[in-house]
Amino acid sequence: MSELSKPKEDLQDPSKAQGPVEVPLLAEVGVAASHLASYILASSSTNVEALPQEILDGMMANLLKFLLFKYRAKKMSSQAEMLNEVLRDNQEHFPVVFSEVSECLRLVFGVEINEVDPKEHIYTLVPTLGLTCDEILSDGEGLPKAGFLALVLNVIMLCGDPAPEEAVWGALSRMRVYVGREHCVFGELRELLTRVWVQEGYLEYQQMPDSHPARYVFLWGPRAYVETSKW
């Protein structure tokens, strides 16, 4: 688990690794991220019955790690590159794996895969949702968080804006993202939601008037309203 706290080392270029990329589960890029992806993709219509789940998870983890490296390095990728450097002996499963990983990138990390050359099948990865929080990561470090921010904003909206903090923590814990527990992608949840995103203007964290003992609520911040919408 100690290795999960090193996203920079973890996201080295898989093509430069010696031998096959050893990533048995999506946990290699964050345990909670994998659980969150599984939760969101549970209703996926993609047919994966022909693949044992453990093998599918391994291939997804390899490709997800590879594409996150490309995103952070601001590089394009091709289908040939993904087949030859990542899936290798499992190339026949590329359509299923690529579809699942694309959904995970979009819903969990807020990154869209766009095909820029249909003939050569070359892809670029771009942030989606209109949220720019990933652009202020210091020195380009860390992993994209716009997808998770969009999820938090959605939770606040569904719980009622303002939303009681215990309702927000409860909703996120059901997706296996826990307050008080360090996460290699999102960091410590309370720190991220009550300080980092408050300072950046995406969230507001306020004490409820006349509450004894003190109770707190989350609201959408002004920057969230500027960059996206509840619709």
Side-chain angles (χ1 to χ4, degrees):
M1 288 298 295
S2 63
E3 293 301 316
L4 298 181
S5 63
K6 303 175 181 178
K8 181 178 180 180
E9 297 176 6
D10 201 17
L11 284 179
Q12 62 178 315
D13 188 349
S15 65
K16 298 179 180 178
Q18 297 298 320
V21 181
E22 297 294 339
V23 190
L25 295 172
L26 281 173
E28 189 70 19
V29 291
V31 174
S34 69
H35 291 315
L36 185 57
S38 298
Y39 179 91
I40 293 174
L41 297 175
S43 60
S44 172
S45 60
T46 305
N47 182 12
V48 295
E49 293 179 358
L51 287 174
Q53 191 61 45
E54 184 175 353
I55 296 176
L56 176 64
D57 285 346
M59 289 189 287
M60 286 178 60
N62 282 345
L63 187 57
L64 180 59
K65 181 179 180 180
F66 177 82
L67 290 175
L68 283 172
F69 170 85
K70 291 290 186 179
Y71 174 78
R72 202 171 67 177
K74 298 181 179 180
K75 295 180 178 179
M76 292 187 291
S77 182
S78 67
Q79 178 175 318
E81 192 177 26
M82 288 183 265
L83 290 172
N84 296 330
E85 298 184 13
V86 184
L87 293 185
R88 298 176 182 174
D89 296 331
N90 300 291
Q91 296 188 7
E92 68 274 17
H93 300 303
F94 175 78
V96 169
V97 175
F98 183 71
S99 175
E100 294 288 327
V101 169
S102 297
E103 280 294 281
C104 180
L105 283 169
R106 184 174 65 85
L107 296 174
V108 178
F109 294 101
V111 174
E112 194 86 36
I113 300 180
N114 292 334
E115 189 173 32
V116 296
D117 187 337
K119 183 178 180 180
E120 298 294 331
H121 299 294
I122 296 175
Y123 300 89
T124 185
L125 291 90
V126 296
T128 187
L129 305 171
L131 299 170
T132 62
C133 62
D134 292 335
E135 297 179 4
I136 58 178
L137 295 175
S138 60
D139 301 323
E141 300 298 334
L143 294 170
K145 298 183 177 68
F148 185 62
L149 173 58
L151 175 65
V152 171
L153 293 171
N154 189 50
V155 166
I156 293 172
M157 181 178 65
L158 293 176
C159 291
D161 191 0
E165 69 168 332
E166 58 269 20
V168 174
W169 302 140
L172 294 177
S173 68
R174 287 192 291 274
M175 300 173 189
R176 302 186 187 181
V177 185
Y178 302 100
V179 64
R181 183 179 300 181
E182 186 74 16
H183 182 272
C184 71
V185 177
F186 308 127
E188 203 287 306
L189 197 60
R190 184 181 296 277
E191 171 80 1
L192 179 63
L193 268 64
T194 66
R195 191 184 69 83
V196 177
W197 281 343
V198 168
Q199 290 181 350
E200 294 174 2
Y202 287 112
L203 301 177
E204 292 184 4
Y205 182 65
Q206 300 175 356
Q207 182 178 343
M208 295 180 64
D210 304 320
S211 58
H212 303 285
R215 297 182 61 199
Y216 292 84
V217 294
F218 282 105
L219 303 90
W220 278 40
R223 185 171 175 181
Y225 281 107
V226 170
E227 295 186 3
T228 187
S229 69
K230 291 185 177 181
W231 175 255

